Amino acid sequence: MKSLAPVAATPACLLKLRASLRSLPVHHARIAHFAMLNPAAFLDLDAREIAYQCSTSEATVVRFCQRMGYHGLSEMKKVLALELAAKLVPHSAAGSGNAGDQKKSSRRVFFDCGIALQDTVSCADHATMDHVATAIANSEILYLFGAGGSAHIAQQAALNFLTLGFRTVAFVDPIQQLAAAKLVTARDVAIAVTYSGNQKDVAVALQSARERKALCVAITSFEQSLISKSADRLLLIATPSETLRGESGVHRVAQIAVLDALAVRAAELRTKAAKGQRVKERKGGQRAGS
């Protein structure tokens, strides 16, 4: 049996855009999203046509490319084209040979799951991850909201957090989410898990929790979405470019990994704090008895 060829991750150019999204002005963010979601169209269109698609000007398109470290649109296109070409080779290799269609499809799913995990780690904001984990470690109650296929991810994550000793509740029904959001306090954390980030009910629930001063976190694949506007912190899930146009199971693997990473880190922080408190109490007792 042929060994699997190594798979290139998402082109560095696109990862660079994703990593920079939170610091980009609105017009530049539109161009970045267009390039990430439609790399082929970005390569095919000229500055005027890209500007039209992104509701901005040609000059803004050029300034955007320069902001990202390129001399202009031509250089950015050249780099992106080379990186996309390099990425296509391993994928075609993965589907070669005499294996049946089912085998090819199964391998492709595993390849894409690996890419999603690798790219999510590459573009992760680790400072934000640690901030969220710290807030969870110090929280009274962790609320998890989910919708669609991500609802099951929220429920599974709730079980994991409960197993690690955190008071956690998961709500996937819109009415229950809205009701629960009105009960949160400033000592709680609310996390919404959603692929597109455009479920209005989830966004409203998260915004309600935010108004009550809870730390609100969005885990989604799209930075410019309703849910991101309702969140204090945003954790982005990278999805292979071939699946960006539609929801698939691939992104759920990355969602689970991010939530598990938060759970493990929060548990570590809580254990460390508990040990520190015990040491402090022991020293206090020794001083009192001396």
Side-chain angles (χ1 to χ4, degrees), residues 34 40-51 53 73 77:
F34 179 75
F42 185 82
L43 292 175
D44 188 53
L45 302 178
D46 59 25
R48 180 183 60 80
E49 292 167 324
I50 293 173
Q53 292 292 330
L73 179 60
K77 282 186 175 184

Side-chain angles (χ1 to χ4, degrees), residues 129-130 132-134 136-137 142 157 159-166 191 256-272:
M129 290 276 290
D130 204 58
V132 174
T134 301
I136 294 172
L142 171 61
L159 178 59
N160 291 341
F161 278 104
L162 280 169
T163 302
L164 290 171
F166 296 95
I191 300 178
I256 292 171
V258 168
L259 285 162
D260 280 357
L262 290 174
V264 170
R265 179 57 177 157
E268 290 175 345
L269 291 169
R270 180 169 284 190
T271 300
K272 183 178 179 180

Side-chain angles (χ1 to χ4, degrees), residues 208-288:
S208 178
R210 189 181 186 186
E211 290 170 357
R212 296 181 65 83
K213 307 304 181 183
L215 178 71
C216 293
V217 183
I219 298 178
T220 180
S221 293
F222 298 92
E223 195 267 351
Q224 295 292 332
S225 58
L226 288 176
I227 205 72
S228 65
K229 298 174 183 176
S230 301
D232 299 302
R233 296 290 185 273
L234 182 64
L235 296 175
L236 288 173
I237 299 299
T239 309
S241 57
E242 291 81 0
T243 61
L244 277 173
R245 291 184 179 276
E247 184 171 355
S248 72
V250 171
H251 72 276
R252 293 185 191 128
V253 174
Q255 286 177 337
I256 292 171
V258 168
L259 285 162
D260 280 357
L262 290 174
V264 170
R265 179 57 177 157
E268 290 175 345
L269 291 169
R270 180 169 284 190
T271 300
K272 183 178 179 180
K275 287 182 179 178
Q277 182 62 31
R278 286 196 296 271
V279 170
K280 184 178 180 180
E281 290 174 353
R282 200 160 47 238
K283 288 182 178 177
Q286 290 172 352
R287 283 195 296 268

Side-chain angles (χ1 to χ4, degrees), residues 80-126:
L80 178 58
L82 289 172
E83 291 177 351
L84 284 172
K87 181 178 182 295
L88 289 174
V89 175
H91 275 299
S92 60
S96 63
N98 298 320
D101 289 342
Q102 182 179 356
K103 193 172 183 179
K104 293 178 184 177
S105 298
S106 297
R107 287 188 174 189
R108 181 55 182 273
V109 170
F110 282 105
F111 274 121
D112 284 346
C113 287
I115 292 172
L117 288 171
Q118 183 177 345
D119 289 351
T120 298
V121 170
S122 298
C123 69
D125 184 337
H126 296 287

